[in-house]
Amino acid sequence: MVLLSIENIPGKSYSAIGMVKGCVVQSKNIGRDLAASFKTIVGGELAGYTEMMNEARAIATRRMIDEAEALGADAVIGVRYASSAIMQGAAEVLAYGTAVKLI
């Protein structure tokens, strides 16, 4: 599956199938939360949270691809990511774009 953040595929003809998306709500674990609490005192990257968000983006992307494949798409263009806090200690990651079929 071709994934592009641009709005078109240069040099290719295609037809739009529709919007596809994938989402996941990921929660922190107590170990990461404690480590992050101490890290905020001295500053620096919260590696546990970076890892958690990278994992969440990968899951959301896979779910978006699965939805596009189910529609018979060859690519997803205009891919975007969004995230938001759902509740204390949990975040939603959403991947979305337009599924297209190459002509």
Side-chain angles (χ1 to χ4, degrees):
M1 179 70 56
V2 176
L3 302 177
L4 298 170
S5 61
I6 57 178
E7 299 299 323
N8 58 38
I9 304 172
K12 300 286 186 181
S13 296
Y14 57 87
S15 61
I17 297 173
M19 187 179 88
V20 289
K21 81 308 188 200
C23 71
V24 63
V25 175
Q26 192 89 7
S27 66
K28 303 182 253 183
N29 72 37
I30 191 71
R32 284 183 181 156
D33 207 24
L34 283 172
S37 295
F38 291 121
K39 187 69 167 186
T40 58
I41 295 170
V42 296
E45 179 182 5
L46 302 176
Y49 287 113
T50 300
E51 180 183 325
M52 179 190 78
M53 293 304 289
N54 283 335
E55 180 183 323
R57 276 188 291 277
I59 293 167
T61 301
R62 180 75 250 164
R63 290 177 179 173
M64 178 185 66
I65 290 169
D66 291 345
E67 190 172 304
E69 287 175 341
L71 294 173
D74 297 310
V76 180
I77 59 173
V79 173
R80 302 287 185 265
Y81 293 92
S83 63
S84 61
I86 298 298
M87 57 182 273
Q88 182 68 27
E92 175 192 37
V93 174
L94 172 68
Y96 63 97
T98 301
V100 298
K101 181 77 173 164
L102 297 176
I103 298 173

